[in-house]
Amino acid sequence: MHDGMTENPDNLIAFQGELGAYSHMACHAKFPDMDVLPCPSFEDALAAVVKGRAKLAMIPIENSTAGRVADIHMLLPGSGLFIIAEHFEVIRHCLLARKGADENSLTSVKSHVQALGQCRKTLREMNLTPLPFADTAGAAKQLAESGYDNVAAIASELAADVYDLKVIRKDLQDEGHNTTRFVVLSRQQIDPASIKGPTMTSFTFEVRNIPAALFKALGGFATNGVNMTKLESYYESDSFMASEFYVDIEGHEGEANVARAMEELRFHAKRVRILGTYPQERARNIR
């Protein structure tokens, strides 16, 4: 297990969190031959790529149960990085404890607030008091160092291996389809023409707060048959004067229908930023 400090930057992928985090698992699943670089924050993970300390960064952007994770639309545009891949990781929470503990000795459980919420029913049935913590793997790390056999942690099975903890229960989550979508960031963008198979393009744009601005900006995607899989609004500043949007679409600008839709968008929008074109890992459009 490498911390990345002495590794070749060209073989390093950065992520936010401690070793054993779900982002660590996503790195291992997507790039099994790369070493990992744990970072305290999403900004630190991106900065590692920008400054050349790592080749790639793995960032979670949305969860099927909890919704948005990282504010990628705020982090990416100013970084100069591009999305080059996506990855879907099924989140399987485990109840972890020290080697001397068992299910009957446990009274409380630590983890990230989202993980606690995703296991709420099971924790109630087990009569365990939830204790919010900064992140899942961090909770496992602290538990391993604590000496307490009445406290558990909710984290990944990988975290159990990293911190030498015992798995009390697997698949602790209330919903079995709990999945997180990650994006992989790089300093170099992909040439869309080199991608084989279905693609995704992510971008942000800004419109003026005038009647029908969004309708006019997005009308070209409907008339040109471009499938839009994600549309989120946000404000880049506290002025509330201009609406910003984050969008995922199927296809890329090398395709005629997408090119026409993007041309119409640029005509009506104040600004369009392409965040990346990359291969689809999971099909979106079921025909």
Side-chain angles (χ1 to χ4, degrees), residues 98-112:
R98 289 168 52 85
K99 292 294 175 67
D102 59 42
E103 191 169 314
N104 295 324
S105 69
L106 300 176
T107 59
S108 60
V109 56
K110 290 184 177 182
S111 196
H112 188 276

Side-chain angles (χ1 to χ4, degrees), residues 24-225:
H24 183 186
M25 293 183 66
C27 292
H28 182 72
K30 188 75 172 177
F31 302 100
D33 296 327
M34 294 187 76
D35 294 315
V36 295
L37 178 64
C39 298
S41 69
F42 293 123
E43 289 85 353
D44 291 327
L46 268 64
V49 180
V50 171
K51 295 177 181 178
R53 296 198 303 270
K55 183 177 182 180
L56 305 172
M58 178 75 73
I59 304 294
I61 61 169
E62 55 189 331
N63 177 268
S64 60
T65 302
R68 181 191 293 171
V69 181
D71 290 329
I72 199 70
H73 49 275
M74 302 294 284
L75 294 170
L76 255 191
S79 70
L81 301 179
F82 299 94
I83 302 173
I84 64 159
E86 64 177 357
H87 175 67
F88 293 86
E89 184 79 14
V90 177
I91 305 302
R92 292 188 170 92
H93 292 306
C94 294
L95 187 68
L96 310 182
R98 289 168 52 85
K99 292 294 175 67
D102 59 42
E103 191 169 314
N104 295 324
S105 69
L106 300 176
T107 59
S108 60
V109 56
K110 290 184 177 182
S111 196
H112 188 276
V113 64
Q114 286 190 352
L116 292 171
Q118 291 162 11
C119 305
R120 182 168 48 248
K121 294 178 183 177
T122 306
L123 297 181
R124 190 182 302 118
E125 291 169 0
M126 297 180 68
N127 200 28
L128 295 179
T129 302
L131 303 173
F133 199 80
D135 63 89
T136 57
K141 181 180 181 182
Q142 189 192 65
L143 174 62
E145 298 168 350
S146 70
Y148 294 119
D149 287 342
N150 65 329
V151 182
I154 296 173
S156 68
E157 194 168 3
L158 176 60
D161 293 336
V162 171
Y163 301 112
D164 195 29
L165 295 170
K166 179 167 62 174
V167 177
I168 301 292
R169 282 199 195 184
K170 294 184 179 182
D171 289 326
L172 201 69
Q173 65 278 356
D174 298 331
E175 301 292 337
H177 58 268
N178 187 10
T179 303
T180 296
R181 179 185 176 224
F182 293 80
V183 290
V184 181
L185 309 180
S186 171
R187 291 186 297 277
Q188 286 80 38
Q189 59 184 320
I190 297 177
D191 176 7
S194 69
I195 301 174
K196 296 179 181 178
T199 60
M200 298 293 293
T201 297
S202 298
F203 58 89
T204 61
F205 70 94
E206 179 185 338
V207 295
R208 295 174 181 84
N209 277 339
I210 58 175
L214 182 61
F215 176 81
K216 292 176 181 176
L218 297 182
F221 293 93
T223 56
N224 287 285

